[in-house]
Structures are given as C-alpha cells and as structure tokens.
Amino acid sequence: MPTNYAEVEETLRRIQSQKGVQGIVIVNSEGIPIKTTLDNSSTVQYAGLIHQLVMKARSTVRDIDPQNDLTFLRIRSKKNEIMIAPDKDYFLIVIQNPSD
Amino acid sequence: MSTAIGKDDRKKKRTLVLRPSSRAVNISGSHGFNQSTKHTTSILGSSSRRSFSLGAGSKVLDKSTVQTPRQAVRVFDEEDNDVTPQPLYQADPGSVQAKASRFFLDEISGGSTSDQTITSASFSMPFSRSVLGSSRFSSQSTIESINEEMEDTFPKRDMPVNLPDVQGKRVAVKEQVTENMLNAVIDIYLSETDCISLLDIPSTSVSVEADNADTITERNKQYAEICKNMVGNEKYVDRSIQTLNDALKHKQVQSDSIVMVDAGTFVSTWEMYDTVSGPEPDESVSDSETKKADIPEAAVDSSRAAEKSVSMGSTTSTGSVTSSMKDVEAFGNSLNAEADLQLIMLSERFQQNLLATERSIVGNVFQPKLAAYRQLLVLDNPDRSLNSEAVEQKTEGSENSPALEYLWTFSCELSRGRSVSSMTWNKKNPDLLAVGYGDSESSDQKPGLVCCWSLKNPTWPERFFHCDSAVTTLDFSTNNPSHLAVGMHNGTIAIYNVQSQNNQTDVINSSECPNKHMDPVWQLKWTLEELSLTGEDKVESLYSVAADGRVSKWFVSDTGLDCTDVMKLKRIHDGKLKAAGNKTEKKTESVVSALTPGLCFDFHPTDSNIYLVGTWEGLIHKCSCSNSQQFMETYKKHFCPVSCIAWCPLSPSLFLSCSSDWTIQLWKQDQFAPVLGFTSTQKAVCDIKWSPKWATVFGVVNVGQLEIWDLKSSIMDPLIVESAVPPVNMKCLLFASHTDCLVVGDSVGQVTVYLLKNMRIGKGSQADVLEAVIQSATSRF
C-alpha cells in the first residue's frame, strides 16, 4: 500500500542527510530531471549519461534472459558511488561519497 | 507588377511603419499593407524571397516614424482622372473580429531573413484582402494578431475589420476557461456538408451487369462493324488534320512538401520477447505521448520546408503557425513533469526503490562496522589516503586483551530522549531487533514507542509503533515470527504484526479483557510447550508477570486476549523472624496473603513447564505450570527486588539472578543457597544476561556501566568494564546470537552495539568448563 507523500518526502530527506550523499536526481521516462538536489548542469549531465547507461545495462540483462530485468545498478568509482534504481517510468539516481 | 518590383528594388531597406491614423501608406515600402480601402499599387506580390516579419516590434511602433495624416490614397493619371483601383474585396463592416492568439505576432518570423528586408511593421489598421490574394497567405493570422495588437496598444477605435472568409492556417484561440465552462454541457452538432466534387472523370468502362450494358454492347458491336467496313469502303475517306497547339504557359503549383522521416529500430532479444508475450497495459499511454512528441517535430519540419519552397509566385511563408505550436507543446511538457513527479513518488515501486537505495547508502557508510559485526575481515578502503590516525588505531588494536569495540548506535529522532526499557531479537531473522521505549520510573508517563530496527539501516527503524503507555517489555513469537508482544506500564498487553507496512495499530490487545493486569507488566515471554510426548505439536503460549503479583497465561479468545492465572505470587513473611519480635504478628503468616509484585521470570531452557519468578521481596520462586497454588522452591538471598533472572543456556541447572541490592547471585537449581555471588559496584543491577556462546561469560548492566564477567578468568572482578557517560544510564542488554556482539540500551534512547573482541575462551564443552570453575570456586571455602 502506498504511504503518503509526506513519508516519501521524509525518506528522501533522510537519504539526502546521510553521510557523504552528494545529490539525488529523479529523472522521468523522457529523460527530463523532475527533482534534483544538484546544480542544473550536473543534473542534466547525469540525466543524459545515465539514461544511456541504464538502457545498455537493461538491454544486457534482458538479452541474456528476457524474463529477467534490471532492478538496481551501482557504479563504484574512485571518488564516489553512483546508485541507480531504474524503473519503467523513472530513474532514481543517488551519488554518494562514502569516505567523506 | 513590374512597377512594384522596381520600387521594391529601390527601396529595399526601408522600414515601413503604419499607424492607424495614417491612411497614407508608404507605398514605396516593399511590404505594404494599405490600410485604406483604396489602393495604389499592389505591393505585396513581390515578396518572393522575402519573408514577412512582424516582430514583437509591433512595439516598435512607438519609436516609429512620423504620423502621416489620415488621407485616402488616390491615384491620378496624367489627365487627373481618378484611376484608383477599386478593391477586389469589400470588407463587411459587421464581421466579427476574432481574437487571435498573441503568439502569432511573436512568431511571424518566416525563417531565414538573411538578405531580406525585415519589415517591422505594426499594422493597426485592417487591410484588405485584395492585396494579398494568395490562398496560402497565412497573414490572415497576422490580420487577427495585428488586430489584437492594435487593440492592445491603441485606444479602441471603431474600425471595420477586413476578415476574409476563408482562413488560412489558424490555431485555436485561447480564452480563459472557467470551471463553469468546463462543467457546462456543450452541444455539438455534426452535420454533413455539401458534397464538393473535386474531380469527376467518368469511367470509360461499364460493368457487364449494369443496366445499360446491353445497349452499350450493341453500340460497341456496331462500331466494330463500322470499323471493319471502313477498310476499302468508299463512304469513308482518310484525311489528315492538324491540331493547333496553343501557346504554352507555365503554371506553377505549390503544394505542401511531403515530409519524410527516416525511422529505424534495433530489435533485440528482449524486445521480441516483450512483443510476443503481449503488450503491457501502459503501452497505450506511452504511445499517445510519443505521438504528441512527433507532432511538433513534423510541424517544425514542414515550416522549414515551406520556407524553402516559397516560389516566385507566392506571397509569404507560414513559419508562424508551427513555431507557436511548438511553444504550446513545451508549456504542456512542463506541466506533465510535475504531475509525473507526484505520480512517481506515490507509486509503490518507487518506495521500494527508495528503501533499497537507502539501505545501499547506509551500507556504504557503515560497511566496516557491519563487516565487524558479521565477523568478516574488515578491509581498508584502498582509495582512501591513509593518515596518521588510521595508523595509530592499528597499533592500538594489536593488543590482545579482551575488549569491547564500539560498532554503532541505533538511534533516530523518534527515539531520542526516550529511555530504552527492553529489547529482543526476532526469532526468525536475527538481524531484526525490536526495542521498546518507555520510562517506567518517572512520574509523568509519556506514551511509549516500539521500534523495529534492522541491521541494514541503523539510522531509521523499519517499523515503529506508538503505544498508549510506556513500554516495559517485548517478545517476538517463535511460531509466528512477525508477531511481537508488547507489555506496557498500564498493564496492557498488545500484539503487533510487524510484517505489514502500514498497520500502526496492534492486531490484538488485552484492554478488553476483564482479567487484565492493572499494574505494569514487567515481563512477557512466548514459550513453546509440548503438548504430546512426541514433541511434535508445539503450542506457543504467552506468559506475563506483572506488578499485581500474577503470572498469567494468555490466549486469543473471541473478545481479544484473555488470560488465566498460572500463579499468584503470595507475599511470604518469614514467620520465625517476626514472631520472635512481636507476639501480635504470630498470626500474620496465614492472614497476609497479599500479592507481591513479580518483576521477572524465566522459563527453563529445556523443560518449559518450570519457571523461575523473581519478586519484589527479593525471593525467587521456582514454579511449575501445572501447579498454580504452590511454589516448588523458594530461593532466598536477595533482600531487594530481584530485577532479572536468567537460566544458563548452556548449563541447564544453573541460573543467575541480580537485584537492586548490588549483588548478582549464581544459583544451582537444587541448592537453596547461591553457589557464587558477585558484586562489583555499589549500584543497583538492572539487567543480566548469559552469553549464548560461552558458558562462563555473562553481561551485567548496572546503572552506570556495562560489565562483562568471565568466570574462568576471575570471579571477583568483571573482565571488561565499559562505563557510561554520566547523564546517560544504561538500562538493558542483550547478546546477539550468531555473533560476538551485544547490544545495550540506555536512558536517552540509544541502542549501542558492541563487539566482544579477543575473548580467549578455550575450547571444550562449555558447561563442563563452568562446572569446573564452580567446583574450584566453591572448594576454596
């Protein structure tokens, strides 16, 4: 059962206040960022690049087994970690630097 | 026309501005819209390569040129004859003026204006259509927009509007839509227009079944006959004839360009799978969205094509319409985005994703601690630069003495400030910890709180339930691992189902029960009882001990929870002591049967029929479920309330008890005096628990500190002492079953997790070790 809007906002706020979280971006299915805590240029950059990556990742997973689907994608890099929760209608992207 | 062209060439760069009052037109301007009904020249025809631009420079009007006086334009030839051409079209003064969208005015830039004259003209007067003649002329729209501009920028004048009947491309007018208008029922009448015949080429062949087929076949036969007879017949003479070819005339026709779009797609395995397995219900929505997206693209394309294909004979181009449509679409998109956000955020999948994301983030943050908890090797982050601090820590840790390592704290805004009263692990999922918050000692009773914490997220509980009264005890059920029984300060017992996401209320509670406890429930326990001897059916029952002196067994009845008393804790006075001092109290033994509050109890680990109860008086009674009248045994040693009793899980005949008299006693089941007693500080002992892994180790919480005792190493002093920072008191403790960790709750709502390190406990049967220790200890005396 979906909880109400305030609880979702509360969860987002908690995520934002976790240690090392640099930003949260929610992108809709057309690639337009609809909610973001980063500055505009970074948001647009993330939205565009990650869209392509997720498409590729999803295509990979499903090519191997069409009944499978991508649920979560984590990219660990030297400086930070990008966590992506893709869905049919949106992407949720969180960037964290856990060693802050 | 040539004159017009000549004039245009001469005065290419001239800006033409018209004012309503000036009826005299700058006729030499290349694009002139005569405002008067009498025209001098048709000027507009020459705009072959020029596109017509009416900017928002209709505002330019203000900086425009001189006001020419209002006069009619008349043309006279050499003999002063009035040869002013008559307008081809007479405006209908009563025609309704349609309000055109303002967008037009802004967008009527017809594309490439590189070498063209841009006429920023604001036309405040209507102009006749006669000049404009061409059917493709979209400045019909300009007329309307200009009219609107006119109205906005000038005081209203009584001006007839020349509106052609046939409108070119028009975009729907925007007007304010009110709520009423939306709700009003509008009748729409559809009717068929007259048939307009565009092309009619009668067929040259007739069906065999047609009515006049016979006559036609007849005639065909006759003709064939004639043709046959023609050859060599004198009646028919061959003659040549010449057709005159008319002079050729070029005629140009312009049509909308055919838009061609290349489309290609890459088909992958899963796309085929998706297609085969059927379209999803959301596909229709996405289709319509993509269609919407296509339309503005198509419109833009056609506008560009239109500009390119403007030919000599045509008038102006039509870029305006399409670009305005683009604007409308863009505006619509931004609205969609906000609605999208709402929808997305309320969807369940989004919340699940949020949960997963939060756990990943928290996992990143707490990774070394969680790894230590799980007794995995803690790896240093290779990318993090090693600073001196880290090096120092390493050297410290090389000591091998037993120590408590602080791992993390479960705490959040909800729990801050509340005192932790009890904790319990889930029986099925040992990573789930239920913590009850409630301050039983303070006079003002705040409502209690139960939080279920998961190891995966130490910053926010997975579930929390608000209770009516301070929570004093908790226990998870074994048969139904999602049932959590909560005992409260007001005597209510409630059972919550922690599995459901939203259910903030308990599944069942005992507030309706007539036998319910009136006093704080100090301890609850679910126990499995063996019904049959084979031990197959294990029924689970909930037992509680409360301050009203009863030990009750609860079961679910029609009206909720109901209980039966398993034991009443009668107050026992030591008759001998009293009688010696006071004669009148000889009879008190039998009379005084008030109940004494029971503070704690514990069931035997193997025989679930037997349990121990600790009372306010300091007595410990061993009771049996089958006998509800008498105690089996009584153990007397403490003279203050017994706060906790614990059977040793590894050695079933031993148990520990602690009380507010600062002491901890180790008892053997069949001995009435404690085997060993421990004291370390002069503070009341709140809680005591055996370690599930090592038989000789137990943990003690008294008011100011946490102590870990290891009987093997010392029976006089605790092995490890961890003090609490003064304003904070530690309240309760719990060992974790699968790891070497323990959790401690304190009075400000924090639950701290510690790791027991370097506990060098030898191998061998734990119970034996304990026995040996006890033997050696007792043999000293």
Side-chain angles (χ1 to χ4, degrees), chain B residues 262-268 271:
Chain B
D262 280 330
T265 182
F266 167 73
V267 179
S268 59
E271 274 175 335

Side-chain angles (χ1 to χ4, degrees), chain B residues 2-255:
Chain B
S2 54
T3 48
I5 293 173
K7 284 180 188 169
D8 294 337
D9 293 336
R10 259 185 300 139
K11 317 220 169 149
K12 262 193 187 185
K13 300 293 180 191
R14 232 168 133 163
T15 328
L16 177 68
V17 175
L18 293 176
R19 304 192 140 263
S21 54
S22 67
R23 285 177 158 260
V25 175
N26 241 334
I27 55 178
S28 56
S30 52
H31 307 280
F33 285 102
N34 287 329
Q35 51 199 13
S36 74
T37 53
K38 297 184 188 165
H39 301 282
T40 52
T41 54
S42 103
I43 302 168
L44 208 57
S46 59
S47 66
S48 54
R49 290 180 311 278
R50 297 164 205 197
S51 46
F52 194 74
S53 129
L54 298 174
S58 60
K59 305 295 180 196
V60 171
L61 186 69
D62 298 328
K63 7 175 195 157
S64 68
T65 56
V66 48
Q67 287 235 13
T68 49
R70 183 188 278 271
Q71 332 170 354
V73 175
R74 304 168 73 89
V75 178
F76 298 97
D77 64 7
E78 294 86 12
E79 288 130 26
D80 282 342
N81 294 331
D82 188 357
V83 291
T84 335
Q86 300 297 319
L88 292 174
Y89 171 75
Q90 292 291 347
D92 182 6
S95 63
V96 176
Q97 173 186 1
K99 282 197 158 289
S101 163
R102 301 210 76 184
F103 288 123
F104 284 108
L105 206 52
D106 297 338
E107 302 305 331
I108 303 176
S109 52
S112 58
T113 56
S114 46
D115 61 325
Q116 294 157 8
T117 308
I118 304 217
T119 311
S120 56
S122 68
F123 300 98
S124 41
M125 284 295 283
F127 39 83
S128 79
R129 182 178 177 258
S130 62
V131 180
L132 315 173
S134 153
S135 61
R136 271 204 76 231
F137 179 60
S138 73
S139 53
Q140 308 310 332
S141 50
T142 63
I143 301 173
E144 295 137 18
S145 59
I146 287 160
N147 288 333
E148 193 181 78
E149 263 311 297
M150 165 176 70
E151 291 206 347
D152 292 343
T153 55
F154 294 101
K156 283 208 190 272
R157 290 165 196 264
D158 187 23
M159 290 180 287
V161 177
N162 301 337
L163 278 185
D165 294 330
V166 177
Q167 308 289 343
K169 290 188 191 168
R170 262 190 95 148
V171 170
V173 166
K174 282 194 192 277
E175 58 179 36
Q176 293 300 329
V177 178
T178 62
E179 195 62 37
N180 294 338
M181 287 174 66
L182 281 178
N183 290 336
V185 176
I186 299 175
D187 294 325
I188 298 177
Y189 298 100
L190 302 175
S191 60
E192 210 180 292
T193 58
D194 295 333
C195 253
I196 303 171
S197 187
L198 296 172
L199 180 67
D200 190 12
I201 304 176
S203 157
T204 52
S205 54
V206 171
S207 158
V208 175
E209 291 157 18
D211 294 332
N212 49 357
D214 295 337
T215 51
I216 290 178
T217 24
E218 267 301 313
R219 280 175 43 203
N220 285 352
K221 280 194 200 143
Q222 282 176 5
Y223 187 71
E225 282 287 326
I226 294 170
C227 289
K228 256 201 311 190
N229 294 339
M230 253 180 16
V231 182
N233 199 335
E234 285 170 2
K235 269 201 210 170
Y236 299 95
V237 176
D238 276 332
R239 250 184 94 169
S240 321
I241 196 160
Q242 181 179 6
T243 54
L244 294 170
N245 290 329
D246 291 333
L248 289 177
K249 170 178 159 184
H250 285 294
K251 180 168 181 181
Q252 264 124 11
V253 174
Q254 183 177 340
S255 68

Side-chain angles (χ1 to χ4, degrees), chain B residues 66 80 134 147 184 205 209 280 335 389 401 514 622 731 759 772:
Chain B
V66 48
D80 282 342
S134 153
N147 288 333
S205 54
E209 291 157 18
E280 293 182 18
L335 281 184
E389 256 186 298
S401 60
K622 183 164 100 172
K731 290 276 181 176
M759 301 285 289

Side-chain angles (χ1 to χ4, degrees), chain B residues 686-701:
Chain B
C686 306
D687 202 359
I688 184 169
K689 291 279 191 308
W690 287 96
S691 158
K693 211 165 145 182
W694 302 297
T696 52
V697 174
F698 57 90
V700 173
V701 165

